[in-house]
Amino acid sequence: MIAALVREWRLLAGPARLGLVVLAALASVAVALGLADVAATRADIARVVALESRETQAITGFAKGDAGEFGYYRNYPVWRAPGDLAFLAPTRGDAVPAVMRIRMLALEGQINDNESANPELLLAGRFDFAFVTLYLAPLLLIALLHDLWSGEREAGRLAALDSLPRARQRLWSPRVLLRAGGVALALMVPLAVGGLIEGTAPLRLGAATALVLASLLFWMLVTLAIARLPAASATQAAVLAGLWFAITLVVPAAAHLAINAAVPLPDAAAIARENREEVHAGWDRPKAETMARFVALYPAYRDQAATGTAFAWKWYFAFQQLGDQAVAADSAARDAGIARREAWAQRMGWLLPPVKAAQALQRRAGSDVAADLAFKAQVRAYHRALREYHYPYLFGGQPMAGADVAGAPGFSSPVLARP
Amino acid sequence: MNRVGAIAAAQLRLFGRSRLAVVALVLLAMLSGIAAITGATQASRMAADRATAQAAANTDFANQPDRHPHRMVHYGTYALRPLGPLAAFDPGVDAFAGSLIYLEGHRQNATTLGAARESSGLIRFGQLTPAFVLRVLVPLLLVFVGFAMIVAERQTGLFTLQLTHGANASELIGGKALALASVAGVAALPALLALAWAAAQSPAEAGVAALMAVAALLWLGLWVLGITLVSARARSAQSALMALVLAWAVLVVLVPRAAAGVAALAHPLPTKAETDLIIHQELRALGDSHNPDDPHFAAFKAGLLKRYGVARVEDLPFNYRGALSAEGERLTSQLFARHAADTAATQMQQHRLLALGGVISPAIGFAQASMAGAATDLASHIAFLDAAEAHRYRLIQSLNGLHTYQVRGADDAARNKDPIAERQSRISARFWADQKPFHHAGPTMADRIAGMLPGLAAMLLWAVLLLWQLIRSGRQEQP
């Protein structure tokens, strides 16, 4: 078998060998870029966290223990720490921030903030390992396998080759194995090296490798099925290129249009305005009314809710929360709609196995829509924990000492390393 | 020339007999039709939604009750990025650039919304728009239709036979190219009709739309020339097809992404969170409004007292708190403007690096030219951000002016404790209605056309190179 593979490698035409080398090089560059991106994202997060703690020190200087001042001025960093497969499809420079700062005011006006990314680069798409696997590797596989039989037929050798004893085992299988195996190796070696550098858990690295292989297997079977047909090699190449084109470009783009049309979302601009109206109306409403509505949410503060005519921070933060409360249902409906759109896209993936493999890779990389939504949910829960940490100081009136400031809940990044 | 026409007509009849070509053309026409209709309906709906949201934000602001002006500084308003009629043809960066900014005092907010954040992950596979059809789908269709047109005749000996019968190689090649160009014209027709329809919505856009059509035809012309050239030079139909599909994959799919990756690496952008934190740091160094002994604000106060010849701020002929707010806003906004300019400059560096990539792949040049013409490119987005920030600053300083001259200092000082002072510190609602609402007309026509030029130049360069090679091919043919 080894001898047969060596023979097939010797028989492989120069352009085909070059194709394998170029694919391996592109996959390596994609992995290297991914690793660099992931490292840069971690550095971004670390810098923001460090700068924020200096900012908190400065606030401690003028807040003088006033929980309201802390609540108003202090920001808390939240982030999406890249997982150990993030280098396959990194998110640096996405519209969704990898790190952001939130404060105790109404969250609705903060949680949808975009990163100051360059939209032109996002439009072009990313050059990452998922891209090389989905788009480039199948093209090379098609180029290497489509004329397996027709090429020999057109050279007048097919009948002679097929008449060899055990032609299937001795000739065709090693030929397919070498060519498909070459494409697989060109992807798997860079992937494995990337995994080693990142210290990826072996099982997760194995799962990512299996996805890559499954995608290649699909294309190999499709290509061999077409190659079996008694047609000219040029026709086979055209049909396969057309299939590749439909599966990776046309159908997903058309499905995107259909899904967005089929699943409407609540108007986000209207939600933002309603949230602001509700918050700012707080200034004009009687304080007692605001506090009564807040106490209905947090009965524990019933006895501490009374205010005078003067400004009071507890009243200020009460109407901030009522603003979020007013749009909570709409906002949740919007996130649910986005999740529904993604669920349809995932369902469509089952019809197009290579698309499914790409979706699964993005999921493991933590750069899919579900990861965005999970991050949002995590930020909402964290914002709630922050508020509830501050309420006893705001309502009880005791000052926030140094230990109280340091004791505020810290953000723990959502685990993006999902199965 | 007549012979070229006759050759082209014969070739077109051959195309018509190829089932593959006809099926592909029909499929493409359907996709173009879907792209054109959804593009038009989506763009007009989005444009209307944004106009409605802008009007609602303006009305909300104008209808606020009597208030203290600083409440209005915090109430703020919204700016929405308008969408021009040609976005129906090429929405460009629209899906990836936030379309809404909340404008308020003390802060320069991030954009929010954007289709990329409210769609499934499929949006990364590309959006089916008329511009996408022209940039990605039509070239591959032309490859499938035209790859064999010369090389197949050469393989069967027909090409040589025609030459020995007195046909001229240049005329043969020219005729084939003309036939393929007609197919390109037919294939591009639905997308170009979408462009014409979008332009018809607003006659002022007709000129730039015509130039965009020229860019699209130039782009497809490159493919006609390239396919004819490869088909004339290839050894077999199969190798011609492989070379052309490879060229398509590299030029249309690979290089634009790789160039974007290189641009991001060469000119890294800081995160918004880090920029905000650095602004806060710089602000403390400039003048810390929380520090009663801050040298900057102490000097500001001393300067005012001296200019008006009074000893206490209470004796100033206006409300000192309003003046202080205006000074604080001036300081922060200076920093916002500088950092926003830095971010925009980095993004434009990335854009120019991509434009340079247009020399390697004219697909980048075509995409940039098309977006610039449709006013959906990066420069248009930056122009919107600048307009929004300019509006924010003007509005907030106007409100600070009202705070300074319409609210009595004594009322202002007592408003948190004294209900009467609080009532007197509110000023009439008519002041809100007097504020000019946000309006952004988008980039000027001259800017849009200037933005198209680098892409057009890259494509012209390619056209000249391919044409030169094709003419050489024609001359080298021996019967």
Side-chain angles (χ1 to χ4, degrees):
Chain A
M1 190 64 186
I2 302 288
L5 286 177
V6 170
R7 180 197 70 218
E8 286 301 330
W9 172 256
R10 289 218 185 101
L11 284 176
L12 205 59
R17 287 189 199 178
L18 184 66
L20 286 172
V21 171
V22 169
L23 181 68
L26 289 173
S28 306
V29 170
V31 166
L33 281 177
L35 290 171
D37 252 21
V38 166
T41 301
R42 291 188 182 127
D44 284 342
I45 294 168
R47 275 200 308 278
V48 167
V49 170
L51 282 168
E52 193 70 71
S53 70
R54 280 159 69 181
E55 194 62 30
T56 304
Q57 279 171 18
I59 296 166
T60 309
F62 66 75
K64 311 231 171 3
D66 184 335
E69 296 271 326
F70 276 111
Y72 186 80
Y73 288 105
R74 189 174 175 190
N75 281 262
Y76 300 82
V78 293
W79 61 88
R80 301 191 294 162
D84 57 4
L85 282 176
F87 70 93
L88 299 180
T91 58
R92 190 158 194 258
D94 268 7
V96 187
V99 53
M100 56 196 292
R101 313 166 64 223
I102 60 156
R103 34 182 205 160
M104 245 179 72
L105 307 197
L107 182 60
E108 206 52 45
Q110 312 176 54
I111 198 164
N112 293 312
D113 280 5
N114 289 331
E115 185 52 88
S116 51
N118 181 346
E120 192 177 1
L121 302 187
L122 292 175
L123 175 68
R126 244 168 217 296
F127 180 76
D128 55 21
F129 187 81
F131 163 74
V132 175
T133 305
L134 177 70
Y135 290 91
L136 304 185
L139 277 180
L140 182 63
L141 200 63
I142 290 170
L144 292 178
L145 292 180
H146 76 279
D147 62 345
L148 196 67
W149 292 289
S150 55
E152 300 293 359
R153 187 167 49 234
E154 281 155 21
R157 289 190 297 259
L158 185 63
L161 291 173
D162 262 340
S163 64
L164 289 172
R166 297 197 299 126
R168 193 189 171 93
Q169 288 92 325
R170 286 174 55 199
L171 181 64
W172 303 120
S173 298
R175 189 164 285 185
V176 171
L177 191 67
L178 178 95
R179 296 181 180 187
V183 173
L185 273 183
L187 295 182
M188 277 157 53
V189 172
L191 172 60
V193 171
L196 281 180
I197 294 174
E198 272 291 282
T200 311
L203 262 180
R204 289 170 41 71
L205 189 60
T209 311
L211 283 171
V212 172
L213 288 180
S215 172
L216 291 180
L217 185 70
F218 169 83
W219 282 112
M220 191 184 88
L221 294 177
V222 169
T223 307
L224 290 180
I226 302 288
R228 266 292 182 199
L229 299 177
S233 56
T235 312
Q236 290 167 333
V239 168
L240 285 164
L243 270 177
W244 172 88
F245 184 58
I247 290 177
T248 54
L249 281 170
V250 177
V251 178
H256 164 66
L257 279 183
I259 290 172
N260 278 12
V263 184
L265 295 180
D267 179 3
I271 296 176
R273 281 198 310 278
E274 193 188 336
N275 177 248
R276 175 188 66 162
E277 289 311 312
E278 192 61 32
V279 168
H280 284 269
W283 289 99
D284 300 321
R285 289 202 181 104
K287 286 193 178 67
E289 183 192 322
T290 297
M291 297 317 277
R293 284 171 59 206
F294 180 83
V295 161
L297 295 173
Y298 284 96
Y301 299 107
R302 183 176 308 280
D303 300 334
Q304 298 167 321
T307 57
T309 49
F311 174 88
W313 281 114
K314 60 182 173 186
W315 162 69
Y316 178 84
F317 285 105
F319 67 67
Q320 294 287 326
Q321 176 51 21
L322 291 175
D324 275 351
Q325 202 68 34
V327 296
D330 284 342
S331 189
R334 201 176 142 74
D335 283 355
I338 297 172
R340 210 153 47 244
R341 286 179 171 184
E342 177 64 9
W344 275 111
Q346 293 288 340
R347 259 173 241 150
M348 211 231 26
W350 289 114
L351 300 177
L352 307 171
V355 172
K356 188 83 219 170
Q359 286 173 333
L361 274 182
Q362 279 164 0
R363 182 178 171 78
R364 271 160 189 78
S367 59
D368 59 344
V369 171
D372 294 349
L373 293 174
F375 176 60
K376 263 181 154 180
Q378 189 95 6
V379 171
R380 286 188 201 283
Y382 178 59
H383 185 260
R384 182 194 180 103
L386 283 177
R387 284 188 290 108
E388 292 176 355
Y389 180 78
H390 278 77
Y391 288 155
Y393 297 96
L394 291 168
F395 283 82
Q398 70 264 43
M400 276 189 130
D404 302 317
V405 173
F411 184 73
S412 57
S413 178
V415 182
L416 293 177
R418 285 167 302 136
Chain B
M1 215 54 222
N2 264 346
R3 274 210 293 208
V4 174
I7 294 163
Q11 181 63 44
L12 279 174
R13 275 195 297 279
L14 276 179
F15 285 153
R17 268 186 242 147
S18 153
R19 252 194 328 199
L20 188 71
V22 173
V23 168
L25 200 60
V26 169
L27 277 178
L28 183 92
M30 279 167 53
L31 281 171
S32 299
I34 295 172
I37 292 167
T38 53
T41 51
Q42 274 194 336
S44 66
R45 202 196 62 227
M46 276 198 298
D49 282 353
R50 288 184 200 175
T52 311
Q54 188 67 64
N58 297 345
T59 315
D60 281 351
F61 190 91
N63 288 347
Q64 287 304 299
D66 294 359
R67 271 201 177 148
H68 190 287
H70 197 70
R71 288 268 48 76
M72 293 304 284
V73 165
H74 282 273
Y75 179 78
T77 190
Y78 295 92
L80 284 112
R81 182 154 41 81
L83 203 57
L86 299 189
F89 172 77
D90 189 351
V93 304
D94 188 72
F96 298 92
S99 52
L100 177 77
I101 308 182
Y102 178 37
L103 309 177
E104 59 177 325
H106 317 311
R107 293 167 69 84
Q108 186 181 49
N109 286 310
T111 63
T112 61
L113 306 194
R117 289 194 73 175
E118 53 200 46
S119 297
S120 75
L122 290 178
I123 196 167
R124 299 182 207 190
F125 290 81
Q127 299 168 82
L128 192 59
T129 64
F132 178 81
V133 167
L134 288 178
R135 192 175 71 246
V136 179
L137 307 194
V138 177
L140 197 65
L141 172 93
L142 294 178
V143 166
F144 286 150
V145 169
F147 74 95
M149 61 184 181
I150 297 170
V151 69
E153 293 191 354
R154 196 194 297 284
Q155 275 177 305
T156 55
L158 193 63
F159 197 77
T160 320
L161 193 70
Q162 285 168 320
L163 292 185
T164 54
H165 282 241
N168 173 323
S170 299
E171 285 172 354
L172 274 175
I173 293 175
K176 306 281 187 193
L178 189 62
L180 193 58
S182 326
V183 176
V186 172
L189 205 58
L192 292 180
L193 282 177
L195 179 60
W197 195 83
Q201 308 303 304
S202 158
E205 306 270 313
V208 73
L211 195 58
M212 286 163 70
V214 168
L217 292 174
L218 185 56
W219 162 244
L220 295 181
L222 294 182
W223 283 94
V224 169
L225 294 175
I227 292 165
T228 312
L229 182 67
V230 170
S231 193
R233 291 205 177 160
R235 272 192 234 129
S236 68
Q238 189 210 5
S239 66
L241 179 62
M242 300 297 277
L244 286 167
V245 170
L246 180 72
W248 176 86
V250 168
L251 296 178
V252 178
V253 180
L254 176 62
V255 173
R257 282 190 188 237
V262 170
L265 205 65
H267 304 289
L269 272 171
T271 61
K272 165 97 173 128
E274 184 172 350
T275 306
D276 285 352
L277 281 159
I278 288 172
I279 288 175
H280 275 286
Q281 262 185 6
E282 290 177 353
L283 191 59
R284 268 198 299 280
L286 219 57
D288 184 353
S289 59
H290 294 290
N291 177 2
D293 309 320
D294 179 78
H296 177 85
F297 286 100
F300 173 73
K301 183 168 153 184
L304 280 184
L305 294 180
K306 192 173 165 216
R307 184 159 2 131
Y308 290 92
V310 292
R312 306 179 315 153
V313 290
E314 287 79 1
D315 300 331
L316 285 169
F318 51 80
N319 182 353
Y320 174 68
R321 284 160 182 258
L324 194 61
S325 282
E327 175 64 5
E329 196 65 45
R330 189 183 69 79
L331 287 185
T332 48
S333 299
Q334 262 177 9
L335 293 177
F336 295 154
R338 208 185 70 222
H339 284 275
D342 284 351
T343 300
T346 305
Q347 292 183 342
M348 285 311 283
Q349 278 175 325
Q350 293 174 336
H351 168 82
R352 279 191 292 273
L353 199 67
L354 275 188
L356 214 58
V359 178
I360 301 170
S361 165
I364 298 175
F366 173 50
Q368 288 191 335
S370 172
M371 289 190 285
T376 53
D377 61 341
L378 173 66
S380 303
H381 180 60
I382 292 175
F384 161 69
L385 295 179
D386 289 346
E389 172 58 20
H391 181 75
R392 186 193 73 84
Y393 187 62
R394 212 171 34 237
L395 175 68
I396 299 304
Q397 292 302 52
S398 163
L399 293 169
N400 281 331
L402 294 173
H403 187 178
T404 311
Y405 294 105
Q406 302 292 334
V407 180
R408 272 214 314 263
D411 292 335
D412 210 14
R415 76 188 145 102
N416 270 339
K417 297 176 186 79
D418 175 2
I420 296 169
E422 199 277 337
R423 204 169 315 127
Q424 285 175 351
S425 74
R426 291 173 179 249
I427 64 170
S428 163
R430 74 175 166 83
F431 286 113
W432 322 142
D434 285 346
Q435 300 296 325
K436 223 171 91 189
F438 176 71
H439 175 74
H440 176 53
T444 64
M445 203 55 80
D447 281 347
R448 285 161 68 180
I449 289 170
M452 294 183 72
L453 295 181
L456 285 171
M459 286 195 285
L460 270 178
L461 180 73
W462 269 75
V464 170
L465 276 175
L466 287 171
L467 206 56
W468 170 55
Q469 285 296 318
L470 204 56
I471 289 169
R472 267 188 45 180
S473 266
R475 289 210 185 117
Q476 279 165 1
E477 284 296 344
Q478 299 297 325

